[in-house]
Amino acid sequence: MSKSTDNVLLVPGESGWEIWTGPSAAEFTLHSATAVELASELTDLPAGDVLLLFPVKSVTAVPMRVSSDDEALFPDLAALHAERLGLRPDPMAGQLTDVFVIAREAENSALVSVLLRTPVDSEMPPRGPKGFDISPRAYPLGGDALAVWKEFGRWVFSLYHQGNLVYCQATSGTSSSPDEAFAREIRLALIQLSMQGLEIEPAHIALWTSSPGVSPAALNAAFKAPVEVLPRPAPVLPNPLSKLLPADVRSARRAARRKQNILLGVAAVALLYFGIIGWFCYGLWKTSSDTAKLLAEAKRIAPESAAYTQHIAKWDELANAIELANSPVDILKRVADCIPPQSGLRLKTADISATEIKLIGEAGALPAVNSFSLNLGKSNGLTRFTWQRPEPSQSTRGWEFVYSGEVPAAATQP
């Protein structure tokens, strides 16, 4: 069994995930370098608190300058800037953004906002991480510097100012050495930073690789700064750790707290269990005599209940005749109210009962018929009728129509 450690750091490597271990106050040491690209397949993690560094391909870095040195305003200013660029993290996917300070002056600060792409299940380790950050922040470089390395077979780069991350980007380049296209992407990034008031000219370039024969020729041709080829150093834990927290991990933490609360609740319920059972038994004993009395009373009034039930049934049978809402005259009045004023529409025949209506009429103009049809369907007094309103037919006197309405069988049952 692996020795317990304070931290287990998951780092994106050249071809797969790397597992680094070490106490909080010490440097990390490489535990294993895997060929696994999906974090969900890292099944043999050492004991300890898991910390995950998201690869560069999972984030979008947005550098900016803001006219404020108030740290409390930085998240809102960064969110407004991202909104203008059309970047909108899913608010239901957890905390997917964070802001880091590059440099700060009086009423003027340089920031980089990091926006995390919503992780899918395969991108999360089987054991819920305690914290998250991004890989470039684990390799700070002093001064104005450029770092180049591979993550999962693709070249990435990051720019630093006095050890603070300024920008990072993953590319599609998979060549064995950095090529001209890769160097051009770095130059474009530097130009974009300059347009935002962030003048970064690397004085030192680090090409991190564990593969022999990697050539820095393209970088030497594109930049004046010397290029140093060396293995990537051991990562350091960013301080403070980022605020990134995907929703599934946040849910897992809530589930753990719920589980703890459930255990405490079970303990409390156990103390009350026997008391509840005793009270329940007492209630059964107390109500047994009352139940007998109620049964006797129900038996005594049974004839009266039967007579009342029969009375209600007979009353329901007469409902169509005695209720005003079912009166044919009243229904005809509601139908007449649906005729558009001064439209010339008239009813030739109106067969009306409590459950059926048949209307035959005519009008000189088609809009009058259509308005009448629409009013029938919208009338609050006729809502219980289901209407059949076929298209009107043209005649020598204008337009004729035949409409019928019927109360559904279920609505007529008492």
Side-chain angles (χ1 to χ4, degrees), residues 184-206:
R184 186 165 53 251
E185 291 200 44
I186 299 176
R187 297 301 304 177
L188 288 174
L190 291 171
I191 293 173
Q192 292 175 348
L193 290 174
S194 178
M195 294 172 62
Q196 298 180 53
L198 298 170
E199 298 289 344
I200 303 294
E201 185 62 35
H204 171 69
I205 300 176

Side-chain angles (χ1 to χ4, degrees), residues 47-308:
D49 293 330
V50 175
L51 303 169
L52 177 67
L53 298 183
F54 286 107
V56 178
K57 68 176 183 178
S58 297
V59 301
T60 300
V62 183
M64 71 195 78
R65 275 198 177 274
V66 297
S67 301
S68 175
D69 57 357
D70 186 354
E71 192 168 343
L73 297 178
F74 290 168
D76 292 335
L77 294 173
L80 290 174
H81 188 75
E83 184 75 18
R84 286 197 296 268
L85 297 177
L87 300 173
R88 301 178 180 87
D90 184 357
M92 304 304 294
Q95 178 65 38
L96 301 183
T97 62
D98 203 355
V99 180
F100 306 109
V101 177
I102 301 172
R104 185 183 303 177
E105 302 173 359
E107 298 185 355
N108 191 302
S109 301
L111 311 174
V112 57
S113 175
V114 173
L115 294 91
L116 177 65
R117 175 174 51 81
T118 305
V120 297
D121 292 342
S122 61
E123 295 174 336
M124 301 302 295
R127 199 162 80 226
K130 182 181 180 181
F132 298 89
D133 217 298
I134 60 175
S135 60
R137 291 207 337 125
Y139 303 98
L141 293 178
D144 289 355
L146 167 67
V148 175
W149 72 99
K150 268 190 175 182
E151 287 185 350
F152 303 129
R154 296 187 177 185
W155 288 105
V156 302
F157 68 90
S158 59
L159 294 162
Y160 300 90
H161 174 70
Q162 301 299 329
N164 296 321
L165 177 67
V166 177
Y167 181 73
C168 62
Q169 180 181 327
T171 71
S172 59
T174 59
S175 56
S176 57
S177 299
D179 54 17
E180 294 180 1
F182 177 71
R184 186 165 53 251
E185 291 200 44
I186 299 176
R187 297 301 304 177
L188 288 174
L190 291 171
I191 293 173
Q192 292 175 348
L193 290 174
S194 178
M195 294 172 62
Q196 298 180 53
L198 298 170
E199 298 289 344
I200 303 294
E201 185 62 35
H204 171 69
I205 300 176
L207 174 55
W208 293 328
T209 179
S210 60
S211 302
V214 174
S215 172
L219 297 176
N220 283 324
F223 302 97
K224 298 178 181 180
V227 180
E228 185 178 8
V229 182
L230 69 167
R232 189 173 63 172
V236 297
L237 196 63
N239 186 23
L241 206 62
S242 78
K243 299 176 183 177
L244 300 175
L245 185 61
D248 57 347
V249 179
R250 187 166 56 183
S251 299
R253 292 184 181 179
R254 288 198 298 266
R257 287 195 295 268
R258 282 199 301 269
K259 183 178 179 181
Q260 184 180 12
N261 293 336
I262 289 173
L263 292 176
L264 294 175
V266 168
V269 169
L271 296 176
L272 297 175
Y273 177 75
F274 291 105
I276 293 174
I277 293 297
W279 177 259
F280 179 73
C281 293
Y282 170 76
L284 290 177
W285 172 80
K286 184 177 183 297
T287 58
S288 60
S289 59
D290 294 338
T291 301
K293 292 179 181 179
L294 290 174
L295 290 174
E297 182 67 15
K299 185 176 180 181
R300 185 184 66 79
I301 65 174
E304 299 177 9
S305 176
Y308 177 75

Side-chain angles (χ1 to χ4, degrees), residues 7 11 57 66 168 296 320 395:
N7 289 302
V11 181
K57 68 176 183 178
V66 297
C168 62
N320 290 337
S395 67

